[in-house]
Amino acid sequence: MTALEIIRMLAKEFDSVDDAALKAMLVLTRPLVSKKRFGKLYPQALALLTAHRLKLSGYGESSFGTAGDTLRVASYSEGETSVSFSSGQTGVQADSELTLTSYGLEYLALRRKVIIPIRSGGEY
């Protein structure tokens, strides 16, 4: 199954986006995903990261939610009015943007399965 077919199957919100635009975003995303590291899961990883980037670029239907939906009110006060927002971004700075969409979260989960961080030999 190709990355384009996976996007069409997993990300129905991009049904209105034509194949040319999807292929262009796949080309832009391809250098960011390691074929060697993901192996047979490469097309799925490429599709998920591409869908994430499409979502952040404003493609897709808003009925599925927007990237802005991840920024929610975390707390509020009534007296002297105080409001704070949850950024939805947690974890490593480089990965925090990936937590903004469901596609990014799925990509992170897939990456954790195939890419193991370096550990010191003295750690237990």
Side-chain angles (χ1 to χ4, degrees):
M1 188 174 257
T2 68
L4 181 60
E5 291 170 334
I6 293 170
I7 290 173
R8 290 292 186 207
M9 186 177 69
L10 293 180
K12 294 295 183 186
E13 69 177 290
F14 302 118
D15 282 353
S16 63
V17 179
D18 64 15
D19 281 355
L22 289 178
K23 287 177 183 176
M25 188 61 88
L26 283 165
V27 167
L28 292 173
T29 306
R30 194 167 285 128
L32 305 176
V33 181
S34 172
K35 192 177 255 187
K36 180 181 178 183
R37 298 282 184 209
F38 282 97
K40 63 183 177 182
L41 295 174
Y42 173 76
Q44 187 175 346
L46 179 60
L48 288 169
L49 189 56
T50 300
H52 167 75
R53 295 180 78 199
L54 283 165
K55 186 72 169 177
L56 290 184
S57 296
Y59 289 91
E61 298 175 19
S62 61
S63 62
F64 289 88
T66 64
D69 290 339
T70 60
L71 303 172
R72 304 201 189 279
V73 174
S75 67
Y76 69 95
S77 313
E78 197 168 308
E80 297 297 321
T81 312
S82 172
V83 178
S84 65
F85 295 90
S86 169
S87 69
Q89 297 183 356
T90 58
V92 180
Q93 180 81 17
D95 291 342
S96 61
E97 181 185 277
L98 292 169
T99 65
L100 293 176
T101 69
S102 61
Y103 308 112
L105 289 170
E106 287 185 53
Y107 172 79
L108 285 172
L110 187 65
R111 189 180 71 181
R112 278 191 295 274
K113 290 179 182 181
V114 297
I115 300 176
I116 300 168
I118 297 172
R119 303 261 172 140
S120 169
E123 291 182 5
Y124 292 103

